[in-house]
Amino acid sequence: MTSVRNLPVDALVELALTDDRRAVGRLLTLVERNGPEATECAMMLHAHGTGSHVIGITGAPGAGKSTLVGEMVQQMVDGGSHPAVLAVDPSSPLTGGAILGDRVRMAGVTEAFIRSVATRGHAGGLALAIPGAVRVFDAVGYNPVVIETVGVGQVEVDVTAAADTTVVVVTPGMGDAVQANKAGLLEVADIFVVNKADRPGASDARRDLELMLDLSHMTGQEDASYRPPILMTNSLEGEGHSAVIDAIETHRRHLVDTGQLAKRRRRRIEFEIESRLSTVFEQRMIELKTDQRWVDIVDTTTAGTIAPPAASQQVANLLLH
Ligand SMILES: Nc1nc2c(ncn2[C@@H]2O[C@H](COP(=O)(O)OP(=O)(O)O)[C@@H](O)[C@H]2O)c(=O)[nH]1
Ligand SMILES: [Mg+2]
């Protein structure tokens, strides 16, 4: 058995396109590293895009995202789909991945591809790692691609940029709905899930969300014909998940019918290009700082010979050439 580690990228891509799991796993590793091989891989995969639906699942740690995803993936597979999961878990990537992996293995699912990604250690961060991994899954033919991530700060923004449909998971009690609102999740949600519906306060959480949606004119939807549904699930008992899957399909069809799917995908590409450029410039900036020309510019500016805006212009010229 030859190791996929020794294969050149073109052979690896060819093998991955036959849904060889080791080859897919190796491609994901290369993409996460974001070296020259990642670029080569992206170029080769480009021609094989299948347009998979990308679903973002976001919410606070412990909300039950992994459990929910495990349950949903099981149902998707039972329904004949071939889903992939990208679990981005900054708090406990190993545990998070293991919980999801164990559940799915327990259920006997071999049709789904599950991958855990740590948030650290990627050049360019998740903004590049996520679209790269989605491209791999999409080309191989995994559909849908589910991205699980914690809904705080930049990570959440990244996942929203990558997803066609964003599902925000909240739990009963502790003013979760209010927290979600504060975190800006109301604006990015296409679907709300109140998970742990077995706990007291679930209907209060739903009511809070309904009220906030009534008050908010900023639900992120580009037309008034769509209002994010609020669904209840009990992931321990496996209740309510088919309604979530149906709501995701309804939203997908809405995106297609209104032309918003194309717009979202365009925005996704725009975001990736921007993220790549930022990464390139940050890298060049780091390199430039070890260069005598940088020292000279800072020296002349400090001496008062030129003003900082002019110095910035000189630096920009250096970076662009
Ligand atoms: N009571 C109850 N507990 C749940 C439910 N869904 C998940 N949990 C539990 O909540 C904890 C966190 O779940 P996990 O899926 O890891 O949350 P994540 O951090 O959002 O991915 C685990 O102990 C789950 O067993 C639910 O519907 N009801
Ligand atoms: Mg998790």
Side-chain angles (χ1 to χ4, degrees):
M1 195 165 65
T2 54
S3 168
V4 290
R5 274 180 173 273
N6 304 323
L7 289 178
V9 175
D10 54 351
L12 201 56
V13 167
E14 205 173 303
L15 196 57
L17 289 174
T18 68
D19 201 2
D20 178 288
R21 290 192 161 238
R22 287 178 313 141
V24 173
R26 178 70 184 156
L27 278 188
L28 291 169
T29 302
L30 293 179
V31 161
E32 284 163 24
R33 278 190 205 151
N34 195 32
E37 285 164 315
T39 308
E40 200 184 335
C41 167
M43 308 269 209
M44 293 194 64
L45 290 175
H46 189 68
H48 298 278
T50 60
S52 298
H53 189 58
V54 181
I55 304 163
I57 310 276
T58 187
K65 298 179 297 298
S66 295
T67 319
L68 177 78
V69 168
E71 201 60 53
M72 278 172 33
V73 161
Q74 171 71 59
Q75 291 201 14
M76 286 169 181
V77 168
D78 290 347
S81 301
H82 190 43
V85 178
L86 196 61
V88 184
D89 198 334
S91 53
S92 57
L94 291 177
T95 323
I99 288 171
L100 186 54
D102 288 348
R103 275 190 72 83
V104 174
R105 261 197 303 281
M106 247 162 39
V109 172
T110 51
E111 282 296 305
F113 197 108
I114 292 155
R115 176 81 171 193
S116 283
V117 194
T119 44
R120 283 159 199 265
H122 302 302
L126 289 171
L128 298 185
I130 291 177
V134 168
R135 204 157 23 236
V136 171
F137 286 135
D138 176 72
V140 177
Y142 285 96
N143 189 19
V145 178
V146 182
I147 310 168
E148 176 200 330
T149 185
V150 171
V152 282
Q154 201 56 42
V155 175
E156 171 270 313
V157 177
D158 291 348
V159 78
T160 314
D164 298 317
T165 299
T166 299
V167 179
V168 172
V169 184
V170 300
T171 50
M174 298 182 298
D176 237 31
V178 178
Q179 291 304 323
N181 188 15
K182 278 195 194 145
L185 292 179
L186 215 56
E187 290 145 62
V188 300
D190 299 305
I191 295 162
F192 286 100
V193 168
V194 179
N195 189 41
K196 307 196 186 183
D198 51 304
R199 293 207 177 155
S203 50
D204 293 342
R206 190 219 295 249
R207 190 206 52 219
D208 289 350
L209 284 170
E210 291 285 7
L211 281 174
M212 278 189 275
L213 282 181
D214 287 343
L215 294 173
S216 172
H217 298 287
M218 309 188 303
T219 54
Q221 305 305 325
E222 275 151 31
D223 64 276
S225 68
Y226 185 86
R227 179 179 166 106
I230 302 166
L231 305 164
M232 317 274 262
T233 53
N234 172 352
S235 294
L236 295 187
E237 301 294 331
E239 287 165 7
H241 301 87
S242 47
V244 178
I245 293 172
D246 290 348
I248 291 170
E249 176 55 19
T250 303
H251 181 252
R252 190 192 66 79
R253 242 182 275 130
H254 169 78
L255 290 178
V256 172
D257 292 348
T258 57
Q260 284 186 67
L261 187 66
K263 277 191 202 159
R264 285 193 183 202
R265 291 191 171 180
R266 187 178 200 282
R267 219 181 298 156
R268 189 197 297 179
I269 287 171
E270 206 173 11
F271 184 76
E272 188 182 347
I273 296 173
E274 279 176 29
S275 303
R276 285 193 176 277
L277 281 176
S278 304
T279 311
V280 168
F281 279 115
E282 271 166 33
Q283 199 53 46
R284 289 255 188 106
M285 197 63 207
I286 291 167
E287 285 161 18
L288 184 67
K289 280 180 149 179
T290 63
D291 192 305
Q292 186 58 39
R293 291 175 297 176
W294 167 263
V295 178
D296 292 346
I297 290 173
V298 176
D299 283 349
T300 45
T301 314
T302 310
T305 314
I306 57 167
S312 307
Q313 191 57 57
Q314 287 185 10
V315 173
N317 290 341
L318 287 178
L319 289 179
L320 291 168
H321 291 103

